[in-house]
Amino acid sequence: MIKSLQRIVHRLVQLARRALEPGFDGPMNPLNHLGSLTIFFCWIVLVSGVWLLIFFRTSVSGAYDSVEYLTHEQWFIGGIMRSLHRYASDAAIVTVALHIAKEFSYDNYRHKRWFSWVTGVPLLWMLFPLGITGYWLVWDELAQFVALSSAEFIDWLPFLTNYMARNFLTQEGLSDRFFTLMAFIHLVGLPIFFVFGIWIHVFRLNKPRINPPRMLMTGVSLAFVVLSIVYPAVSHERANLDQVPQNVGLDWFYLPVYPLIESGSPGWAWFFLASVTMLLVVAPWIPRSKADPVAIVNLDFCNGCERCVADCPFGAVHMELRSDGQPYALEARVDPELCVSCGLCVGACPTATAFRTRSALLPGIDLPEIPAAQLREQMQAVSARLDETQQVMVIACQASPVSSAMRGQGQPLVEVKCLGQLPPPFLDYAISRGRARGVLLAGCEGGDCKYRYGIRWTEERIARKRDPQLRGRIDARRIAFQWDEAWSGKPLAAVLREFAVRLKDIEQDTEGRQ
């Protein structure tokens, strides 16, 4: 059942990705940067919130008037800031929901990756109160509705003796002190815990991506500004506790549970939220399954270069003092509690070379599931079955749709756990030894790597920007990426034909120069 649900959600995520592709090329697709976009939206909320705070009056009588002043009299700055504050907050909910859906569909929440998933649950609990208390501060009819419903919701808890609803019995009964407390919670208390929670959420990751690409940040910011001018955020009528609000427009991003509170009961709302929270917390262990074997270190071939440490996306590899007496200062060690068996450390190891023939192919660090020796055997077997007219070897990661399609059709394929597992000497081996005219690398759809940096490290190694680099004797044009903008979304057969034509042009160009 879980697998079926994952496939459905994955299909929906990919449909959303393809819908965005006309406006965004692969690396710029917002679905590749959901976590960092959420943090960026929080920065927009923070900056705009600081401006609003300068003019905001934390009193029952002054709150509404100060917001109205910002919205209408200072619309050229204050009104835009208020709208930015609102739209960036709503956008954060959207990116968080998509982030959860994508990680679930990629199965990136289980086994060694449970920590980031579970620590994200408290962030949800903090994100919604942040938005809800923000609505209180406007103190219009919507704020009145939210305040009354929230008070009834909180007062249902049996261990609370001071009932919050008493503060909203009459207009005169609401004090400025209570309003100042709500402002403190929204502006100081919750944001501090939220920032700390984000740090906990990502601190086990190596090189966490906190900022999205600059061009994406610029485009999103301009879109928010235009939206703020064309459709500015405005208030309802002033709140009046002596009257019951008749029609309020709910923000369905932050207030979806309030209709349940009104139509059912606070108890049912608490049960619903507690059930969803518990389901999210225990999801990584439903159903229980065995994790893949972790990477192993072969000290006989480890020279302590630290490249595996630099390239591991999850901080699972660290260096320790040498223990075997070899003339190297350090040796690599794998933390089995953090290793997700992606193989990116193998692709970073300088001793992982397919040209070794006088001894067993054992790199300094290897992946038991698909060891380097087995990878070379796959390449040799696939080479013998290649289409004679194309002579293009396809190497795909297990999460790639190309991999599942070719496997189902029985086509020759070299399969790796992640493209980052592929050491550049293996590409050199395939091309320089005449086993293929070119190599097509197929990764996760849209270039959005399941293991965070597999595609990026592969591109940089082939471009000779990251060690270990592709040797200079190999024309990098003979290696293509299936997620390139020119080929993204095209059938594999069409991509192979076009790549074969490009290889012919490269060969003619090389012969002409000689």
Side-chain angles (χ1 to χ4, degrees):
M1 180 179 175
I2 297 294
K3 291 293 183 184
S4 298
L5 182 59
Q6 284 179 322
R7 283 193 292 268
I8 293 171
V9 176
H10 185 78
R11 196 170 295 117
L12 293 174
V13 171
Q14 297 311 327
L15 286 174
R17 181 188 303 283
R18 290 166 191 168
L20 292 170
E21 280 181 356
F24 305 90
D25 61 11
M28 296 297 295
N29 196 303
L31 288 177
N32 293 2
H33 308 280
L34 292 172
S36 56
L37 275 175
T38 302
I39 295 176
F40 175 62
F41 294 152
C42 291
W43 277 113
I44 295 178
V45 171
L46 175 63
V47 172
S48 58
V50 169
W51 181 268
L52 299 177
L53 178 61
I54 294 173
F55 300 92
F56 185 74
R57 285 182 281 169
T58 55
S59 65
V60 177
S61 59
Y64 184 83
D65 291 336
S66 60
V67 173
E68 287 296 285
Y69 164 77
L70 286 163
T71 304
H72 300 291
E73 296 185 41
Q74 202 195 93
W75 64 267
F76 50 91
I77 297 179
I80 291 177
M81 286 294 184
R82 180 191 178 184
S83 298
L84 286 174
H85 197 74
R86 162 73 178 275
Y87 293 133
S89 300
D90 290 348
I93 293 294
V94 175
T95 52
V96 165
L98 288 172
H99 184 56
I100 293 172
K102 194 181 81 169
E103 295 304 299
F104 171 76
S105 69
Y106 275 67
D107 205 36
N108 287 347
Y109 66 102
R110 297 167 57 76
H111 304 305
K112 312 300 172 56
R113 302 177 79 166
W114 69 267
F115 183 83
S116 294
W117 177 271
V118 172
T119 55
V121 176
L123 289 177
L124 279 177
W125 272 102
M126 285 185 276
L127 189 62
F128 282 98
L130 268 170
I132 292 169
T133 53
Y135 275 108
W136 285 32
L137 299 183
V138 178
W139 202 233
D140 58 1
E141 289 183 340
L142 176 59
Q144 179 182 342
F145 168 79
V146 171
L148 287 169
S149 297
S150 299
E152 294 174 359
F153 183 58
I154 295 173
D155 288 344
W156 184 87
L157 297 173
F159 54 83
L160 295 179
T161 57
N162 294 323
Y163 293 108
M164 184 183 294
R166 293 174 180 173
N167 295 281
F168 305 104
L169 294 176
T170 63
Q171 187 70 17
E172 293 75 18
L174 184 61
S175 67
D176 292 345
R177 181 181 300 177
F178 182 84
F179 207 80
T180 302
L181 174 62
M182 290 299 102
F184 175 80
I185 292 174
H186 179 72
L187 300 171
V188 180
L190 284 174
I192 290 176
F193 285 103
F194 189 71
V195 171
F196 182 66
I198 290 176
W199 177 78
I200 293 177
H201 184 61
V202 303
F203 93 100
R204 284 177 62 165
L205 300 177
N206 189 15
K207 301 180 180 69
R209 291 180 289 187
I210 296 177
N211 298 315
R214 291 183 181 179
M215 188 175 296
L216 189 57
M217 287 191 290
T218 302
V220 168
S221 300
L222 290 175
F224 281 160
V225 171
V226 172
L227 183 61
S228 299
I229 296 173
V230 175
Y231 192 69
V234 294
S235 304
H236 290 67
E237 295 297 323
R238 185 191 298 270
N240 185 353
L241 293 176
D242 296 328
Q243 299 178 1
V244 178
Q246 297 300 317
N247 296 304
V248 292
L250 284 182
D251 178 356
W252 289 99
F253 294 98
Y254 280 93
L255 310 175
V257 75
Y258 281 82
L260 179 62
I261 297 174
E262 291 297 307
S263 61
S265 71
W268 278 110
W270 276 115
F271 176 78
F272 171 75
L273 292 176
S275 300
V276 171
T277 301
M278 185 59 64
L279 181 61
L280 288 173
V281 171
V282 302
W285 297 277
I286 301 176
R288 296 187 65 88
S289 60
K290 188 177 180 180
D292 295 329
V294 302
I296 55 174
V297 177
N298 302 307
L299 286 182
D300 290 341
F301 299 97
C302 175
N303 60 13
C305 67
E306 301 186 51
R307 289 173 183 165
C308 52
V309 176
D311 282 11
C312 177
F314 304 98
V317 188
H318 61 277
M319 305 304 293
E320 294 181 356
L321 293 177
R322 202 76 192 191
S323 63
D324 60 351
Q326 290 202 46
Y328 303 109
L330 302 171
E331 65 182 36
R333 289 291 179 187
V334 176
D335 186 342
E337 296 301 319
L338 297 178
C339 179
V340 301
S341 311
C342 62
L344 268 69
C345 53
V346 182
C349 185
T351 64
T353 170
F355 291 97
R356 188 187 302 170
T357 56
R358 296 186 179 181
S359 61
L361 179 47
L362 287 174
I365 192 166
D366 208 355
L367 197 62
E369 187 177 357
I370 309 177
Q374 179 181 323
L375 180 57
R376 183 173 64 180
E377 291 172 2
Q378 282 191 60
M379 298 178 75
Q380 293 169 347
V382 167
S383 173
R385 298 179 54 201
L386 291 182
D387 184 296
E388 295 182 0
T389 60
Q390 294 178 347
Q391 281 290 300
V392 174
M393 180 179 293
V394 178
I395 303 179
C397 71
Q398 292 178 347
S400 168
V402 170
S403 179
S404 57
M406 293 187 68
R407 212 184 310 124
Q409 298 170 8
Q411 298 183 40
L413 165 74
V414 178
E415 195 170 32
V416 293
K417 190 68 177 291
C418 173
L419 284 181
Q421 180 194 352
L422 185 67
F426 279 70
L427 297 170
D428 184 348
Y429 175 80
I431 296 173
S432 66
R433 292 292 174 90
R435 296 189 175 276
R437 293 168 58 212
V439 177
L440 178 69
L441 301 179
C444 298
E445 189 165 354
D448 187 16
C449 182
K450 175 180 173 68
Y451 298 105
R452 301 183 61 232
Y453 288 114
I455 286 177
R456 178 176 170 182
W457 290 170
T458 299
E459 290 178 330
E460 292 183 3
R461 291 165 186 167
I462 293 172
R464 302 180 179 97
K465 296 179 181 179
R466 188 178 193 87
D467 288 330
Q469 300 177 9
L470 180 69
R471 292 181 65 177
R473 69 181 182 182
I474 300 299
D475 190 337
R477 294 178 298 173
R478 290 182 176 271
I479 303 167
F481 308 113
Q482 190 268 342
W483 59 86
D484 270 352
E485 185 178 4
W487 290 331
S488 180
K490 284 189 177 183
L492 180 62
V495 173
L496 290 173
R497 285 195 301 270
E498 292 179 18
F499 185 37
V501 172
R502 192 172 86 174
L503 286 172
K504 186 175 181 179
D505 294 339
I506 293 171
E507 291 162 357
Q508 291 176 349
D509 179 55
T510 303
E511 292 174 0
R513 291 181 181 180
Q514 292 175 346

